[in-house]
Amino acid sequence: WIDRIKKEHQITYWREMKMKTGKRITALLCSVLLLAFLVSCNTLALAEEVPELNWTDLVTEEIEAQGAFQKIEISDSLSIQLWIPAEMISVDTSFMDGPFKPVALYGTEDQVRSVILFVSEVSSLDEYVAFMEKEGGGSNFNSIIINGVECISYDVEKDNILSLIYPVSDHMVLSVNCMPMDADENWEITRNIILSSIHPAE
């Protein structure tokens, strides 16, 4: 599954939509269509509300003390921090050769739960999302704001992974992959805390 996550390509992804309308519409029908249009616009506006995760709103000092912040170097001048629970240890990734090796990997001793991070250069966020949907097996793409940064979350069901795309610049993203996706309530809470902790390092 690591190889599938690591694949990076230039993808041009265009979709076209066409609408057909009849030539004759009575005044009454126009009113009905206008009302339906306004209702659908209101529904769409509600559906597009983006959920937010904020570290200060979600996490208490007591919870924070159950883990520690780890600094992830993105480039010489850019790095981020994220909180990792004490039950997870840093795993050596030196055995993973190639240009797409993870920048960090954390896991429980029994390897049941893990968090793996990759950094990728992208031509645009939209093309990267389109590629992950078409070639990476991604589904359920949703926008989510993490500490003020608009990110994209999605599932890779075939590999049981919940992924987060965190833009760190116009052409670079951090991919945070949490395994397993379908976990118990405790792991779901811990996973949300990890994701809500992501922010640029000072």
Side-chain angles (χ1 to χ4, degrees):
W1 62 269
I2 292 178
D3 291 336
R4 282 193 290 269
I5 295 174
K6 294 187 292 186
K7 291 168 63 180
E8 194 78 33
H9 295 283
Q10 299 293 326
I11 302 293
T12 303
Y13 188 75
W14 298 96
R15 291 180 178 175
E16 297 181 353
M17 297 181 64
K18 296 182 179 179
M19 299 179 62
K20 295 182 179 180
T21 58
K23 293 182 179 180
R24 297 180 180 179
I25 302 176
T26 63
L28 180 59
L29 184 55
C30 283
S31 299
V32 173
L33 288 175
L34 178 59
L35 179 60
F37 174 74
L38 292 174
V39 171
S40 64
C41 284
N42 289 334
T43 303
L44 182 60
L46 291 174
E48 289 181 345
E49 290 184 2
V50 180
E52 295 189 39
L53 283 179
N54 293 296
W55 174 260
T56 53
D57 295 338
L58 185 64
V59 178
T60 64
E61 291 183 0
E62 182 180 359
I63 292 177
E64 182 177 352
Q66 297 174 19
F69 273 94
Q70 305 296 327
K71 188 174 182 179
I72 309 299
E73 301 290 342
I74 305 298
S75 65
D76 292 339
S77 59
L78 184 62
S79 59
I80 63 98
Q81 287 187 346
L82 81 164
W83 179 88
I84 297 294
E87 64 178 3
M88 286 187 166
I89 60 173
S90 177
V91 178
D92 182 18
T93 60
S94 60
F95 67 93
M96 301 179 185
D97 296 326
F100 301 112
K101 62 186 297 183
V103 293
L105 173 60
Y106 302 95
T108 54
E109 187 174 356
D110 57 9
Q111 301 180 1
V112 171
R113 300 174 180 177
S114 62
V115 177
I116 185 167
L117 299 95
F118 295 92
V119 173
S120 301
E121 293 185 6
V122 299
S123 56
S124 75
L125 182 59
D126 288 343
E127 288 188 3
Y128 182 76
V129 170
F131 171 75
M132 294 311 298
E133 180 176 19
K134 185 177 181 181
E135 303 292 338
S139 62
N140 300 323
F141 287 82
N142 292 288
S143 295
I144 181 170
I145 297 175
I146 306 288
N147 298 317
V149 177
E150 188 163 354
C151 307
I152 304 291
S153 68
Y154 66 97
D155 302 332
V156 184
E157 294 184 3
K158 61 185 178 182
D159 298 318
N160 202 13
I161 298 172
L162 172 70
S163 294
L164 179 78
I165 302 171
Y166 183 93
V168 292
S169 70
D170 290 340
H171 297 290
M172 189 171 292
V173 298
L174 174 70
S175 176
V176 183
N177 304 278
C178 301
M179 296 179 64
M181 179 180 67
D182 54 350
D184 58 33
E185 184 178 356
N186 288 335
W187 172 232
E188 184 177 355
I189 293 172
T190 301
R191 200 170 54 193
N192 285 342
I193 294 173
I194 293 172
L195 296 179
S196 73
S197 73
I198 303 172
H199 65 276
E202 298 180 355

